[in-house]
Amino acid sequence: IAGPLARTVAAATVDFAARWHHRIFAGIEALVALHVLANLYFAFLRREPLISAMIAGRKPAACYADMPAARPGQWTTAALCLVAAAAFVVGGVLAAGARAL
């Protein structure tokens, strides 16, 4: 089964995308299951209202009463994280068979 835009690209591109979709689908399902289990753990065992916080976009301040104050990071750490993330993305694109970016 092809997607709605499959007719706009070559058949080889559709086949390539379909193969990668099938390869990563099980991984995506596993990550979704892990996410759900983590939310259930925090909701029922740790008694933290994460599910309602995700729906409402807010978490009660009382949940943070015993947490230390946030400290700003260093710009060098942020720059290194940005470079690492960019290298990860470019490496993934190149590993997937892209010829040029």
Side-chain angles (χ1 to χ4, degrees):
I1 298 175
L5 299 176
R7 59 186 160 81
T8 64
V9 296
T13 304
V14 173
D15 291 339
F16 175 79
R19 278 194 312 275
W20 274 100
H21 175 82
H22 290 294
R23 286 179 185 167
I24 66 172
F25 187 73
I28 292 172
E29 285 182 323
L31 291 174
V32 168
L34 181 64
H35 180 76
V36 170
L37 288 173
N39 278 299
L40 292 174
Y41 168 78
F42 277 98
F44 294 113
L45 297 177
R46 301 272 310 261
R47 303 277 190 230
E48 291 191 32
L50 289 182
I51 296 172
S52 61
M54 283 190 284
I55 293 170
R58 295 193 178 123
K59 189 173 175 184
C63 295
Y64 300 106
D66 61 343
M67 300 300 290
R71 297 179 314 158
Q74 295 180 340
W75 70 268
T76 53
T77 304
L80 287 173
C81 288
L82 178 63
V83 168
F88 182 75
V89 169
V90 170
V93 169
L94 293 175
R99 292 187 187 148
L101 296 175

Coordinates of all heavy atoms in Angstrom, one line a residue:
I1 N 0.9 -1.2 0.0 CA 0.0 0.0 0.0 C 0.9 1.2 0.0 O 1.8 1.4 0.8 CB -0.9 0.0 1.2 CG1 -1.8 -1.2 1.2 CG2 -1.7 1.3 1.3 CD1 -2.7 -1.3 2.4
A2 N 0.7 2.1 -0.9 CA 1.5 3.3 -1.0 C 0.7 4.5 -0.4 O -0.5 4.6 -0.4 CB 1.8 3.6 -2.5
G3 N 1.5 5.5 0.0 CA 1.0 6.7 0.6 C 0.4 7.6 -0.5 O 0.5 7.4 -1.7
P4 N -0.2 8.7 -0.1 CA -0.9 9.6 -1.0 C 0.0 10.3 -2.0 O -0.4 10.8 -3.1 CB -1.7 10.6 -0.2 CG -0.9 10.6 1.2 CD -0.4 9.2 1.3
L5 N 1.3 10.5 -1.6 CA 2.3 11.2 -2.5 C 3.2 10.2 -3.2 O 4.1 10.7 -3.9 CB 3.1 12.2 -1.6 CG 2.3 13.3 -0.9 CD1 3.2 14.1 -0.1 CD2 1.5 14.1 -1.9
A6 N 2.9 9.0 -3.1 CA 3.8 8.0 -3.8 C 3.9 8.2 -5.3 O 4.9 7.9 -5.9 CB 3.3 6.6 -3.5
R7 N 2.8 8.7 -5.9 CA 2.8 8.8 -7.3 C 3.7 10.0 -7.8 O 4.0 10.2 -9.0 CB 1.4 9.0 -7.9 CG 0.7 10.2 -7.3 CD -0.8 10.2 -7.7 NE -1.6 11.0 -6.9 CZ -1.7 12.3 -6.9 NH1 -1.1 13.0 -7.8 NH2 -2.5 12.9 -6.0
T8 N 4.2 10.8 -6.8 CA 5.0 12.0 -7.2 C 6.5 11.7 -7.2 O 7.3 12.5 -7.6 CB 4.7 13.1 -6.2 OG1 5.1 12.7 -4.9 CG2 3.3 13.5 -6.2
V9 N 6.9 10.4 -6.8 CA 8.3 10.1 -6.8 C 8.5 8.8 -7.6 O 7.5 8.1 -7.9 CB 8.8 9.9 -5.4 CG1 8.8 11.3 -4.7 CG2 8.1 8.9 -4.6
A10 N 9.7 8.4 -7.8 CA 10.0 7.2 -8.6 C 9.7 5.9 -7.7 O 9.6 6.0 -6.5 CB 11.5 7.2 -8.9
A11 N 9.4 4.8 -8.4 CA 9.0 3.6 -7.8 C 10.1 3.1 -6.8 O 9.9 2.6 -5.8 CB 8.7 2.5 -8.8
A12 N 11.4 3.4 -7.2 CA 12.5 3.0 -6.3 C 12.5 3.7 -5.0 O 12.8 3.2 -3.9 CB 13.8 3.2 -7.0
T13 N 12.1 5.0 -5.1 CA 12.0 5.8 -3.8 C 10.9 5.3 -3.0 O 11.0 5.2 -1.7 CB 11.7 7.3 -4.2 OG1 12.8 7.7 -5.1 CG2 11.7 8.1 -3.0
V14 N 9.8 4.9 -3.6 CA 8.6 4.3 -2.8 C 9.1 3.0 -2.1 O 8.8 2.8 -0.9 CB 7.4 4.1 -3.7 CG1 6.3 3.4 -3.0 CG2 6.9 5.5 -4.2
D15 N 9.8 2.2 -2.9 CA 10.2 0.9 -2.3 C 11.2 1.2 -1.1 O 11.1 0.5 -0.1 CB 10.9 0.1 -3.4 CG 9.9 -0.4 -4.4 OD1 8.7 -0.5 -4.1 OD2 10.4 -0.8 -5.5
F16 N 12.1 2.1 -1.3 CA 13.1 2.4 -0.3 C 12.4 2.9 1.0 O 12.7 2.5 2.1 CB 14.1 3.5 -0.8 CG 15.0 4.0 0.2 CD1 16.1 3.3 0.6 CD2 14.8 5.2 0.9 CE1 17.0 3.7 1.5 CE2 15.7 5.7 1.9 CZ 16.8 4.9 2.2
A17 N 11.4 3.8 0.8 CA 10.7 4.4 2.0 C 9.9 3.3 2.7 O 9.8 3.2 3.9 CB 9.8 5.5 1.5
A18 N 9.3 2.4 1.9 CA 8.5 1.3 2.5 C 9.4 0.4 3.3 O 9.0 -0.1 4.3 CB 7.7 0.6 1.4
R19 N 10.5 0.1 2.7 CA 11.4 -0.8 3.5 C 11.8 -0.2 4.8 O 11.8 -0.9 5.8 CB 12.7 -1.1 2.6 CG 12.5 -2.2 1.6 CD 13.8 -2.7 1.1 NE 14.8 -1.7 0.6 CZ 14.7 -1.1 -0.6 NH1 13.9 -1.5 -1.5 NH2 15.6 -0.2 -0.9
W20 N 12.2 1.1 4.8 CA 12.6 1.7 6.0 C 11.4 1.9 7.0 O 11.6 1.7 8.2 CB 13.2 3.1 5.8 CG 14.7 2.9 5.5 CD1 15.3 2.9 4.3 CD2 15.7 2.7 6.5 NE1 16.6 2.6 4.5 CE2 16.9 2.5 5.8 CE3 15.7 2.6 7.9 CZ2 18.1 2.3 6.4 CZ3 16.9 2.3 8.5 CH2 18.1 2.2 7.8
H21 N 10.3 2.1 6.5 CA 9.1 2.2 7.3 C 8.9 0.9 8.1 O 8.6 0.8 9.3 CB 7.9 2.6 6.5 CG 6.6 2.6 7.3 ND1 6.2 3.6 8.0 CD2 5.6 1.6 7.4 CE1 5.0 3.3 8.6 NE2 4.7 2.1 8.3
H22 N 9.0 -0.2 7.3 CA 8.7 -1.5 8.0 C 9.9 -1.9 8.9 O 9.6 -2.5 9.9 CB 8.6 -2.6 6.9 CG 7.3 -2.5 6.1 ND1 6.1 -2.7 6.7 CD2 7.1 -2.2 4.8 CE1 5.2 -2.5 5.8 NE2 5.8 -2.2 4.6
R23 N 11.1 -1.4 8.7 CA 12.2 -1.7 9.6 C 12.1 -1.0 10.9 O 12.4 -1.6 11.9 CB 13.5 -1.3 8.9 CG 14.0 -2.1 7.8 CD 15.3 -1.6 7.2 NE 15.7 -2.4 6.1 CZ 16.6 -2.1 5.2 NH1 17.2 -0.9 5.4 NH2 16.9 -2.8 4.2
I24 N 11.6 0.2 10.9 CA 11.6 1.0 12.1 C 10.2 0.9 12.9 O 10.1 1.4 14.0 CB 12.0 2.5 11.9 CG1 10.9 3.2 11.0 CG2 13.4 2.6 11.3 CD1 11.2 4.7 10.9
F25 N 9.2 0.3 12.2 CA 7.9 0.3 12.8 C 7.9 -0.4 14.2 O 7.3 0.1 15.2 CB 6.9 -0.2 11.9 CG 5.4 -0.1 12.4 CD1 4.8 1.1 12.4 CD2 4.8 -1.2 12.9 CE1 3.5 1.3 12.9 CE2 3.5 -1.1 13.4 CZ 2.9 0.2 13.4
A26 N 8.5 -1.6 14.2 CA 8.6 -2.3 15.5 C 9.3 -1.5 16.6 O 8.9 -1.5 17.8 CB 9.3 -3.7 15.3
G27 N 10.3 -0.8 16.2 CA 11.0 0.1 17.2 C 10.2 1.2 17.7 O 10.2 1.5 18.9
I28 N 9.4 1.8 16.8 CA 8.5 2.8 17.3 C 7.4 2.3 18.2 O 7.1 2.9 19.2 CB 7.8 3.5 16.0 CG1 8.9 4.3 15.3 CG2 6.7 4.4 16.5 CD1 8.4 4.8 13.9
E29 N 6.9 1.1 17.9 CA 5.9 0.5 18.8 C 6.5 0.2 20.2 O 5.9 0.4 21.2 CB 5.4 -0.9 18.2 CG 4.4 -0.7 17.1 CD 3.9 -2.0 16.5 OE1 4.7 -3.0 16.5 OE2 2.8 -2.1 16.2
A30 N 7.8 -0.3 20.2 CA 8.4 -0.5 21.5 C 8.6 0.7 22.3 O 8.4 0.8 23.5 CB 9.8 -1.2 21.2
L31 N 9.0 1.8 21.6 CA 9.2 3.1 22.3 C 7.8 3.6 22.8 O 7.8 4.2 23.9 CB 9.8 4.1 21.4 CG 11.3 3.9 21.0 CD1 11.8 4.9 20.0 CD2 12.1 3.9 22.3
V32 N 6.8 3.4 22.1 CA 5.4 3.9 22.5 C 5.0 3.0 23.8 O 4.6 3.6 24.8 CB 4.4 3.7 21.4 CG1 3.0 3.9 22.0 CG2 4.6 4.8 20.3
A33 N 5.3 1.7 23.7 CA 5.0 0.9 24.9 C 5.8 1.3 26.1 O 5.3 1.4 27.2 CB 5.2 -0.6 24.5
L34 N 7.1 1.6 25.9 CA 7.9 2.1 27.0 C 7.4 3.4 27.6 O 7.4 3.6 28.8 CB 9.4 2.2 26.5 CG 10.4 2.7 27.6 CD1 10.5 1.6 28.7 CD2 11.7 2.9 26.9
H35 N 7.0 4.3 26.7 CA 6.4 5.6 27.2 C 5.2 5.4 28.0 O 5.0 6.0 29.1 CB 6.1 6.4 25.9 CG 5.6 7.7 26.2 ND1 6.3 8.8 26.7 CD2 4.3 8.2 26.2 CE1 5.5 9.9 26.9 NE2 4.3 9.5 26.6
V36 N 4.3 4.5 27.6 CA 3.1 4.2 28.3 C 3.4 3.6 29.7 O 2.8 4.0 30.7 CB 2.1 3.3 27.5 CG1 0.9 2.8 28.3 CG2 1.6 4.1 26.3
L37 N 4.3 2.6 29.7 CA 4.7 2.0 30.9 C 5.3 3.0 31.9 O 5.0 2.9 33.1 CB 5.6 0.8 30.7 CG 5.0 -0.4 30.0 CD1 6.0 -1.4 29.6 CD2 3.9 -1.0 30.9
A38 N 6.1 3.9 31.4 CA 6.8 4.9 32.3 C 5.7 5.8 32.9 O 5.8 6.1 34.0 CB 7.8 5.7 31.5
N39 N 4.7 6.2 32.1 CA 3.7 7.0 32.6 C 2.8 6.3 33.6 O 2.4 6.9 34.7 CB 2.8 7.5 31.5 CG 3.4 8.7 30.8 OD1 3.6 9.7 31.4 ND2 3.7 8.6 29.5
L40 N 2.5 5.0 33.4 CA 1.8 4.2 34.4 C 2.6 4.1 35.7 O 2.1 4.2 36.8 CB 1.4 2.9 33.8 CG 0.4 2.9 32.7 CD1 0.2 1.5 32.1 CD2 -0.9 3.5 33.2
Y41 N 3.9 3.9 35.6 CA 4.8 3.8 36.7 C 4.7 5.0 37.6 O 4.5 5.0 38.8 CB 6.2 3.5 36.3 CG 7.2 3.6 37.4 CD1 7.4 2.7 38.3 CD2 8.0 4.8 37.4 CE1 8.3 2.8 39.4 CE2 9.0 4.9 38.4 CZ 9.1 3.9 39.4 OH 10.0 4.1 40.4
F42 N 4.9 6.2 36.9 CA 4.9 7.4 37.6 C 3.5 7.8 38.2 O 3.4 8.4 39.3 CB 5.4 8.6 36.8 CG 6.9 8.7 36.7 CD1 7.6 8.1 35.7 CD2 7.6 9.3 37.7 CE1 9.0 8.2 35.6 CE2 9.0 9.4 37.7 CZ 9.7 8.8 36.7
A43 N 2.5 7.4 37.5 CA 1.1 7.7 38.0 C 0.7 6.8 39.2 O 0.2 7.4 40.1 CB 0.1 7.5 36.8
F44 N 1.0 5.5 39.1 CA 0.5 4.7 40.2 C 1.6 4.3 41.3 O 1.2 4.2 42.4 CB 0.0 3.4 39.6 CG -1.2 3.6 38.7 CD1 -1.1 3.4 37.4 CD2 -2.4 4.0 39.3 CE1 -2.2 3.6 36.6 CE2 -3.5 4.3 38.5 CZ -3.4 4.0 37.1
L45 N 2.8 4.2 41.0 CA 3.8 3.9 42.0 C 4.5 5.1 42.6 O 4.7 5.1 43.8 CB 4.9 3.0 41.4 CG 4.3 1.6 40.9 CD1 5.4 0.8 40.3 CD2 3.7 0.9 42.0
R46 N 4.7 6.1 41.8 CA 5.4 7.3 42.3 C 4.3 8.4 42.7 O 4.7 9.4 43.3 CB 6.3 7.9 41.3 CG 7.5 7.0 40.9 CD 8.7 7.0 41.8 NE 9.2 8.3 42.0 CZ 10.2 8.9 41.4 NH1 10.8 8.3 40.4 NH2 10.6 10.1 41.7
R47 N 3.1 8.2 42.3 CA 2.0 9.1 42.6 C 2.3 10.6 42.1 O 2.0 11.6 42.8 CB 1.7 9.2 44.1 CG 1.4 7.9 44.7 CD -0.1 7.6 44.6 NE -0.4 6.4 45.4 CZ -1.1 5.4 44.9 NH1 -1.4 5.4 43.6 NH2 -1.4 4.4 45.7
E48 N 2.8 10.6 40.9 CA 3.0 11.9 40.2 C 2.0 12.1 39.1 O 1.8 11.2 38.3 CB 4.5 12.0 39.7 CG 5.5 12.1 40.8 CD 6.9 12.5 40.3 OE1 6.9 13.2 39.3 OE2 7.8 12.0 40.8
P49 N 1.4 13.2 39.0 CA 0.3 13.4 38.0 C 0.8 13.8 36.6 O 0.5 14.8 36.1 CB -0.5 14.6 38.6 CG 0.6 15.4 39.4 CD 1.5 14.4 39.9
L50 N 1.6 12.9 36.1 CA 2.2 13.2 34.7 C 1.2 13.1 33.6 O 1.2 13.9 32.7 CB 3.3 12.2 34.4 CG 4.6 12.3 35.2 CD1 5.6 11.3 34.8 CD2 5.1 13.7 35.1
I51 N 0.2 12.2 33.7 CA -0.7 12.1 32.6 C -1.6 13.3 32.5 O -1.8 13.9 31.5 CB -1.6 10.8 32.8 CG1 -0.6 9.6 32.6 CG2 -2.7 10.7 31.7 CD1 -1.3 8.3 32.9
S52 N -2.1 13.8 33.7 CA -2.9 15.0 33.7 C -2.1 16.2 33.3 O -2.6 17.1 32.7 CB -3.6 15.2 35.0 OG -2.7 15.3 36.0
A53 N -0.8 16.2 33.7 CA 0.1 17.3 33.3 C 0.3 17.3 31.8 O 0.4 18.4 31.2 CB 1.4 17.2 34.1
M54 N 0.4 16.2 31.2 CA 0.6 16.1 29.7 C -0.7 16.6 29.0 O -0.6 17.3 28.0 CB 0.9 14.7 29.2 CG 2.4 14.3 29.5 SD 2.8 12.8 28.7 CE 2.0 11.6 29.7
I55 N -1.8 16.3 29.6 CA -3.1 16.8 28.9 C -3.3 18.3 29.2 O -3.6 19.0 28.2 CB -4.3 16.0 29.5 CG1 -4.1 14.5 29.0 CG2 -5.6 16.6 29.0 CD1 -5.1 13.6 29.7
A56 N -3.1 18.7 30.4 CA -3.3 20.1 30.7 C -2.1 21.0 30.3 O -2.3 22.2 30.2 CB -3.6 20.3 32.2
G57 N -0.9 20.5 30.3 CA 0.3 21.3 30.0 C 0.8 21.9 31.2 O 1.8 22.7 31.2
R58 N 0.3 21.5 32.4 CA 0.8 22.1 33.7 C 0.9 21.0 34.7 O 0.1 20.1 34.8 CB -0.1 23.2 34.2 CG -0.1 24.3 33.3 CD -0.8 25.5 34.0 NE -0.8 26.6 33.1 CZ -1.8 27.3 32.6 NH1 -3.0 26.9 33.1 NH2 -1.7 28.3 31.8
K59 N 1.9 21.1 35.6 CA 2.1 20.2 36.7 C 2.0 21.0 37.9 O 2.6 22.1 38.0 CB 3.4 19.5 36.5 CG 3.6 18.3 37.5 CD 4.9 17.6 37.2 CE 5.2 16.5 38.2 NZ 6.5 15.9 38.0
P60 N 1.3 20.5 39.0 CA 1.2 21.3 40.2 C 2.6 21.6 40.8 O 3.5 20.8 40.8 CB 0.4 20.4 41.1 CG -0.3 19.4 40.2 CD 0.6 19.3 39.0
A61 N 2.7 22.8 41.3 CA 3.9 23.3 41.9 C 4.4 22.4 43.1 O 5.6 22.3 43.3 CB 3.8 24.8 42.3
A62 N 3.4 21.8 43.8 CA 3.8 21.0 44.9 C 4.7 19.8 44.6 O 5.5 19.4 45.4 CB 2.5 20.5 45.6
C63 N 4.6 19.4 43.3 CA 5.4 18.3 42.9 C 6.9 18.7 42.8 O 7.8 17.8 42.8 CB 5.0 17.9 41.5 SG 3.3 17.2 41.4
Y64 N 7.2 20.0 42.8 CA 8.6 20.4 42.7 C 9.1 21.0 44.0 O 10.2 21.5 44.1 CB 8.7 21.5 41.6 CG 8.3 21.0 40.3 CD1 7.1 21.4 39.7 CD2 9.1 20.1 39.6 CE1 6.7 21.0 38.5 CE2 8.7 19.7 38.3 CZ 7.5 20.1 37.8 OH 7.2 19.7 36.5
A65 N 8.3 20.9 45.1 CA 8.7 21.5 46.4 C 10.0 21.0 46.9 O 10.8 21.8 47.5 CB 7.6 21.3 47.4
D66 N 10.4 19.8 46.7 CA 11.6 19.3 47.3 C 12.8 19.2 46.3 O 13.8 18.7 46.5 CB 11.4 17.9 47.9 CG 10.9 16.9 46.8 OD1 10.5 17.3 45.7 OD2 11.0 15.7 47.1
M67 N 12.6 19.8 45.1 CA 13.6 19.8 44.1 C 14.5 21.0 44.2 O 14.1 22.1 44.6 CB 12.9 19.8 42.7 CG 12.0 18.6 42.4 SD 12.8 17.0 42.5 CE 13.8 17.1 41.1
P68 N 15.8 20.8 43.9 CA 16.7 21.9 43.9 C 16.4 22.9 42.8 O 15.8 22.5 41.8 CB 18.1 21.3 43.8 CG 17.9 20.0 43.1 CD 16.5 19.6 43.5
A69 N 16.8 24.1 43.0 CA 16.6 25.2 42.0 C 17.4 24.8 40.7 O 18.5 24.3 40.8 CB 17.0 26.5 42.5
A70 N 16.8 25.1 39.6 CA 17.4 24.8 38.3 C 18.6 25.8 38.1 O 18.6 27.0 38.5 CB 16.4 25.0 37.1
R71 N 19.7 25.3 37.5 CA 20.9 26.1 37.2 C 21.1 26.2 35.7 O 20.9 25.2 35.1 CB 22.1 25.5 37.9 CG 22.0 25.4 39.4 CD 23.3 24.8 39.9 NE 23.6 23.6 39.2 CZ 24.8 23.0 39.1 NH1 25.8 23.6 39.8 NH2 25.0 21.9 38.4
P72 N 21.4 27.3 35.2 CA 21.6 27.4 33.8 C 22.9 26.7 33.4 O 23.8 26.6 34.2 CB 21.8 28.9 33.5 CG 22.1 29.5 34.9 CD 21.5 28.6 35.9
G73 N 22.9 26.1 32.2 CA 24.1 25.4 31.8 C 25.1 26.3 31.1 O 24.9 27.5 31.0
Q74 N 26.2 25.7 30.6 CA 27.2 26.5 30.0 C 26.9 26.4 28.5 O 26.4 25.4 27.9 CB 28.6 25.9 30.2 CG 29.0 26.0 31.7 CD 30.4 25.4 31.9 OE1 30.8 24.6 31.1 NE2 31.0 25.8 33.0
W75 N 27.3 27.5 27.8 CA 27.1 27.6 26.3 C 27.9 26.5 25.6 O 27.5 26.0 24.6 CB 27.3 29.0 25.8 CG 28.8 29.4 25.8 CD1 29.4 30.0 26.8 CD2 29.7 29.1 24.8 NE1 30.7 30.2 26.4 CE2 30.9 29.7 25.2 CE3 29.6 28.5 23.5 CZ2 32.1 29.6 24.4 CZ3 30.8 28.5 22.7 CH2 32.0 29.0 23.2
T76 N 29.1 26.2 26.2 CA 29.9 25.2 25.5 C 29.3 23.8 25.5 O 29.3 23.1 24.6 CB 31.3 25.1 26.2 OG1 31.1 24.9 27.6 CG2 32.1 26.4 26.0
T77 N 28.6 23.5 26.6 CA 27.9 22.2 26.7 C 26.7 22.2 25.7 O 26.5 21.2 25.0 CB 27.3 22.0 28.1 OG1 28.4 22.1 29.1 CG2 26.7 20.7 28.2
A78 N 26.0 23.3 25.6 CA 24.9 23.4 24.6 C 25.5 23.3 23.2 O 24.9 22.6 22.4 CB 24.2 24.7 24.8
A79 N 26.6 23.9 22.9 CA 27.2 23.8 21.6 C 27.6 22.4 21.2 O 27.4 21.9 20.1 CB 28.3 24.8 21.4
L80 N 28.2 21.7 22.2 CA 28.6 20.3 22.0 C 27.4 19.4 21.8 O 27.5 18.5 20.9 CB 29.4 19.8 23.2 CG 30.9 20.4 23.3 CD1 31.5 20.0 24.6 CD2 31.7 20.0 22.1
C81 N 26.4 19.7 22.5 CA 25.1 18.9 22.3 C 24.6 19.1 20.9 O 24.1 18.2 20.2 CB 24.1 19.2 23.4 SG 24.5 18.5 25.0
L82 N 24.6 20.4 20.4 CA 24.1 20.7 19.1 C 24.9 20.0 18.0 O 24.4 19.4 17.1 CB 24.1 22.2 18.9 CG 23.6 22.7 17.5 CD1 22.2 22.3 17.3 CD2 23.8 24.2 17.4
V83 N 26.2 20.0 18.2 CA 27.1 19.4 17.2 C 26.9 17.9 17.2 O 26.8 17.2 16.2 CB 28.6 19.7 17.5 CG1 29.5 18.8 16.7 CG2 28.8 21.2 17.2
A84 N 26.7 17.3 18.4 CA 26.5 15.8 18.5 C 25.2 15.5 17.8 O 25.1 14.5 17.1 CB 26.5 15.4 19.9
A85 N 24.1 16.2 18.1 CA 22.8 16.0 17.5 C 22.9 16.1 16.0 O 22.3 15.3 15.2 CB 21.8 16.9 18.1
A86 N 23.6 17.1 15.5 CA 23.7 17.3 14.0 C 24.5 16.1 13.4 O 24.1 15.6 12.3 CB 24.4 18.6 13.7
A87 N 25.5 15.7 14.1 CA 26.3 14.6 13.5 C 25.5 13.3 13.5 O 25.5 12.5 12.6 CB 27.6 14.4 14.4
F88 N 24.7 13.1 14.6 CA 23.8 11.9 14.6 C 22.8 12.0 13.5 O 22.6 10.9 12.8 CB 23.1 11.9 16.0 CG 22.2 10.8 16.2 CD1 22.7 9.5 16.5 CD2 20.8 10.9 16.1 CE1 21.9 8.4 16.7 CE2 20.0 9.8 16.3 CZ 20.5 8.5 16.6
V89 N 22.2 13.1 13.2 CA 21.2 13.2 12.1 C 21.8 13.0 10.8 O 21.4 12.2 9.9 CB 20.4 14.5 12.2 CG1 19.6 14.8 11.0 CG2 19.6 14.6 13.4
V90 N 22.9 13.7 10.5 CA 23.6 13.5 9.3 C 24.1 12.1 9.1 O 24.0 11.5 8.0 CB 24.8 14.5 9.2 CG1 25.7 14.3 7.9 CG2 24.3 16.0 9.1
G91 N 24.7 11.5 10.1 CA 25.1 10.1 10.0 C 24.0 9.2 9.7 O 24.1 8.3 8.9
G92 N 22.8 9.4 10.3 CA 21.6 8.6 10.0 C 21.2 8.7 8.6 O 20.8 7.8 7.9
V93 N 21.2 10.0 8.1 CA 20.8 10.2 6.7 C 21.7 9.5 5.7 O 21.3 8.9 4.8 CB 20.7 11.7 6.4 CG1 20.5 12.0 4.9 CG2 19.5 12.3 7.2
L94 N 23.0 9.7 6.0 CA 24.0 9.1 5.1 C 24.0 7.5 5.2 O 24.1 6.8 4.2 CB 25.4 9.5 5.5 CG 25.7 11.0 5.2 CD1 27.1 11.4 5.7 CD2 25.5 11.3 3.7
A95 N 23.7 7.0 6.4 CA 23.6 5.5 6.6 C 22.4 5.0 5.8 O 22.4 3.9 5.4 CB 23.5 5.2 8.0
A96 N 21.3 5.8 5.7 CA 20.1 5.4 5.0 C 20.3 5.4 3.5 O 19.4 5.0 2.8 CB 19.0 6.3 5.4
G97 N 21.4 5.9 3.0 CA 21.7 5.9 1.6 C 21.6 7.2 0.9 O 21.6 7.2 -0.4
A98 N 21.6 8.3 1.6 CA 21.5 9.6 0.9 C 22.8 9.9 0.3 O 23.9 9.6 0.8 CB 21.1 10.7 1.9
R99 N 22.8 10.5 -0.9 CA 24.1 10.8 -1.6 C 24.6 12.2 -1.2 O 25.8 12.4 -1.1 CB 23.8 10.7 -3.1 CG 23.6 9.3 -3.6 CD 23.5 9.2 -5.1 NE 23.1 7.9 -5.4 CZ 22.4 7.6 -6.5 NH1 22.0 8.6 -7.3 NH2 22.1 6.4 -6.7
A100 N 23.7 13.1 -1.0 CA 24.1 14.5 -0.7 C 23.0 15.1 0.2 O 21.9 14.7 0.1 CB 24.3 15.3 -1.9
L101 N 23.4 16.0 1.0 CA 22.5 16.7 1.9 C 21.9 17.9 1.3 O 22.3 18.7 0.7 CB 23.1 17.0 3.2 CG 23.6 15.7 4.0 CD1 24.3 16.1 5.2 CD2 22.4 14.9 4.4

